[in-house]
Amino acid sequence: MKTEVVIVGAGPSGLATAACLSVLSIPYVVLEREACSASLWKLRTYDRLQLHLAKRFCELPHMAFPRNAPTFLPKNQFIQYSDAYVERFGINPVYSTHVELASYDEASKTWRVMATNALTDQVEEYRSRFLVVASGENSEGFIPDLPGLQSFSGEILHSSSYKSGRPYSSKSVLVVGSGNSGMEIAYDLAEHEARTSIVINSPFHTVTKEMIYMAMVMLRYLPVSVVDALVVLLANLKYGDLSKYGIVRPSLGPIRLKAVTGRSSVIDVGTVEKIKTGEIEVVKGVTNIRGNEVEFADGKSHHYDAIVFATGFRTNPRQWLQDADSFLGEEGYPREKFPNHWKGRNDLYFVGFARSGLAGCSTDAQNVADDIARKRTAAYFSQR
């Protein structure tokens, strides 16, 4: 099949790109490996999830959230918005289609995308001038190979498979990873009366969603250093010194840290209070696992019925993008740095790889669609 643009991925990044192209009347095809759009949100998120940023910072291009929507949307309402977005812009992804190889043909100056249709088991070929990688930052759940993990006789799951703490009531559960997912899952487990521990190894900022909302607004008027100082001051006033509970703040402020490293602050949903009261135990450094017994760096060990790995995700373009090393760094992100990360050679684009959430996806999608439109216009006039 020939088209102008092939978009790989029907998550928010792919949908935003498709909508921007639709507005410009540029033909495209969206290939999606799952059987639905926004599959991360629909299939691989826990029940209590809600947007950590205010809705004004999470809208996709050309369509606002309903006025009566809450400031911080729960998962189900974002899914409803996503489905309405697909319908409004007439986006029809080719579902259950797994991209096997995308290669650039120098002779014809086109991209050749080979994909397997999981429903028919047939290999299908797509040809396009432009290729948009929109498979996202969260393609593959990552579980580190901890010493002795294979001997663990309890349940092992990644956070993308966790739904609710209800099945773990009265069980001992270890959460590995202390980002937003890990801290919120630990809270959810404790709320369902699981005996909960969480591994915290690295420094991070603990803030409320209101603090981040305030910071996002203030960044329009004040320098990052001032906003960071205000957020840290407010966090200290609310939480006090958390180092005695095993939570240490980084030296960089929360906004600067995100810009430099891509690491987000932890939006506290009540986890800190449960740590302070002892409902959630903080542990450090898993050194070994023997059966159901997990050993830690301080010499202590605990018995667990389950381990939840909230250890993040990996990108997947390296699995199917030919000559990936020339486009991607070791971690699977574009070699080009922000703000030029979205544009590669040979009419290749990346959407949703800026580590800046839904707002970044939207900005990338608009940049890509505008650039494609400019190139098509230039090509049209050069042929006249």
Side-chain angles (χ1 to χ4, degrees), residues 41 45-53 73-75 159 162-165 175-192 196-198 200 204 206 209 265-272 274-275 280 308 310:
W41 287 85
T45 52
Y46 43 91
D47 294 344
R48 62 167 291 115
L49 178 67
Q50 64 175 219
L51 293 179
H52 291 145
L53 296 181
L73 268 75
K75 177 179 82 169
S159 59
Y162 177 92
K163 296 300 180 184
S164 166
V175 179
V176 179
S178 54
N180 277 296
S181 293
M183 292 288 275
E184 190 160 0
I185 287 172
Y187 174 84
D188 189 57
L189 287 164
E191 280 285 277
H192 286 90
T196 308
S197 303
I198 184 169
I200 298 180
F204 57 82
T206 306
K209 58 189 178 184
S265 299
V266 169
I267 311 295
D268 180 43
V269 296
T271 312
V272 170
K274 289 188 179 296
I275 288 173
I280 298 174
V308 181

Side-chain angles (χ1 to χ4, degrees), residues 127-273:
R127 288 271 187 170
S128 63
R129 177 181 170 186
F130 305 97
L131 176 65
V132 180
V133 180
S135 50
E137 302 170 349
N138 304 319
S139 297
E140 311 289 343
F142 172 71
I143 294 181
D145 187 18
L146 297 179
L149 180 60
Q150 292 183 349
S151 74
F152 187 72
S153 52
E155 181 182 3
I156 298 172
L157 69 158
H158 188 265
S159 59
S160 58
S161 298
Y162 177 92
K163 296 300 180 184
S164 166
R166 194 173 297 109
Y168 303 97
S169 178
S170 300
K171 294 184 178 181
S172 294
V173 184
L174 175 66
V175 179
V176 179
S178 54
N180 277 296
S181 293
M183 292 288 275
E184 190 160 0
I185 287 172
Y187 174 84
D188 189 57
L189 287 164
E191 280 285 277
H192 286 90
E193 299 183 346
R195 297 184 295 276
T196 308
S197 303
I198 184 169
V199 176
I200 298 180
N201 290 323
S202 304
F204 57 82
H205 289 283
T206 306
V207 296
T208 66
K209 58 189 178 184
E210 290 79 14
M211 291 178 195
I212 292 298
Y213 185 15
M214 176 203 73
M216 298 286 282
V217 174
M218 292 176 65
L219 282 171
R220 297 183 176 184
Y221 311 102
L222 296 171
V224 169
S225 58
V226 174
V227 176
D228 270 344
L230 287 171
V231 173
V232 170
L233 174 62
L234 290 173
N236 283 334
L237 289 173
K238 179 171 179 60
Y239 297 110
D241 181 11
L242 295 177
S243 61
K244 57 187 174 183
Y245 300 104
I247 301 174
V248 179
R249 285 193 177 277
S251 56
L252 292 177
I255 306 300
R256 178 62 64 191
L257 185 70
K258 176 68 174 175
V260 172
T261 69
R263 289 165 52 198
S264 299
S265 299
V266 169
I267 311 295
D268 180 43
V269 296
T271 312
V272 170
E273 184 60 29

Side-chain angles (χ1 to χ4, degrees), residues 1-4 29 125-128:
M1 176 181 179
K2 291 185 178 180
T3 185
E4 193 72 1
V29 170
E125 179 179 345
Y126 296 85
R127 288 271 187 170
S128 63

